[in-house]
Amino acid sequence: GAGVSQSPRYKVAKRGQDVALRCDPISGHVSLFWYQQALGQGPEFLTYFQNEAQLDKSGLPSDRFFAERPEGSVSTLKIQRTQQEDSAVYLCASSSTSGRETQYFGPGTRLLVL
Amino acid sequence: AQSVSQHNHHVILSEAASLELGCNYSYGGTVNLFWYVQYPGQHLQLLLKYFSGDPLVKGIKGFEAEFIKSKFSFNLRKPSVQWSDTAEYFCAVSLLGRGNKLVFGAGTILRVKS
């Protein structure tokens, strides 16, 4: 594929709404990562998949955050009962193996919770 | 806690000036080191990376970085900046054998005046 794609690019939600953010990694990439980038900060790790297995979810800030990658390609990050502090850019990255490979980032989804 | 520090949040330079952006990390183990760049309106792109070997790493667009293990540093340099280097620069670290998640610094916004 051409690169990592994410949708939607922008999302406005009312506080308490559920949102779902989609990531399409580069075709064939085994590893997929989600990061959260607050305004003026660097990206912070949320969770990591190797194929369909979620190997690390230590960065998920609360049980309102849930991620899945059921077939080992497309991934969805779901945020339930959104709060204002969830407003951020959510970045997806993929890499070709589980080793020391470069992570390629998507354009991100900018979430604003009102 | 593991962390990455970038010394300057904003840097303003004139074209042809030399650039050095500082990055320090606080891990004791073997690390992989990265510099990513985000041009205005674009997504994060890899500038250069260090895994092992020669501590002086050359990247795209004339950038280079030097890994100094004793100082836990990985500073980014460019001898002569151009207006097109205006962007935000992020230093990132991953720990060998501890998964592949990246830990990012807060970023440095570079503005080059023409």
Side-chain angles (χ1 to χ4, degrees):
Chain A
V4 179
S5 61
Q6 294 186 244
S7 61
R9 293 291 311 278
Y10 303 92
K11 177 69 179 177
V12 179
K14 292 183 180 178
R15 189 161 55 96
Q17 267 187 321
D18 297 348
V19 299
L21 312 180
R22 177 187 169 104
C23 172
D24 283 83
I26 294 172
S27 178
H29 275 195
V30 167
S31 298
L32 186 145
F33 303 81
W34 284 99
Y35 294 86
Q36 179 191 58
Q37 185 175 16
L39 192 62
Q41 301 295 320
E44 291 193 1
F45 171 79
L46 293 176
T47 188
Y48 159 58
F49 290 86
Q50 185 176 323
N51 295 306
E52 68 278 6
Q54 190 174 20
L55 298 187
D56 187 346
K57 53 182 181 179
S58 62
L60 296 176
S62 77
D63 59 6
R64 296 186 296 103
F65 286 71
F66 172 75
E68 59 183 7
R69 193 186 185 198
E71 297 179 359
S73 57
V74 171
S75 177
T76 304
L77 176 67
K78 298 179 180 177
I79 309 173
Q80 297 177 324
R81 305 180 304 281
T82 52
Q83 304 294 314
Q84 286 187 321
E85 61 263 28
D86 299 335
S87 296
V89 176
Y90 290 86
L91 297 169
C92 178
S94 70
S95 66
S96 60
T97 71
S98 58
R100 304 164 88 182
E101 294 293 333
T102 299
Q103 293 183 28
Y104 295 89
F105 282 81
T109 294
R110 186 176 297 275
L111 173 66
L112 177 62
V113 181
L114 301 176
Chain B
Q2 303 147 349
S3 66
V4 176
S5 299
Q6 293 186 235
H7 305 159
N8 307 96
H9 195 55
H10 284 92
V11 173
I12 301 174
L13 295 173
S14 297
E15 277 192 307
S18 64
L19 170 72
E20 181 159 3
L21 301 182
C23 173
N24 287 89
Y25 61 93
S26 64
Y27 303 101
T30 303
V31 294
N32 303 317
L33 297 155
F34 306 81
W35 277 96
Y36 279 84
V37 61
Q38 187 165 24
Y39 298 103
Q42 297 187 26
H43 56 271
L44 277 169
Q45 302 171 41
L46 182 70
L47 203 53
L48 49 77
K49 61 186 178 185
Y50 172 80
F51 287 163
S52 63
D54 188 344
L56 185 62
V57 179
K58 295 195 183 297
I60 60 172
K61 304 186 179 185
F63 286 90
E64 65 178 31
E66 184 175 14
F67 170 48
I68 303 180
K69 188 175 181 180
S70 61
K71 295 185 178 180
F72 298 89
S73 71
F74 190 56
N75 292 352
L76 181 70
R77 300 193 291 249
K78 185 171 184 179
S80 176
V81 295
Q82 301 173 316
W83 177 81
S84 58
D85 294 324
T86 294
E88 188 162 16
Y89 293 81
F90 293 93
C91 181
V93 173
S94 67
L95 290 183
L96 188 64
R98 299 277 295 274
N100 298 301
K101 64 183 179 185
L102 295 172
V103 178
F104 285 85
T108 297
I109 298 170
L110 170 66
R111 181 177 155 229
V112 179
K113 299 185 295 184
S114 58

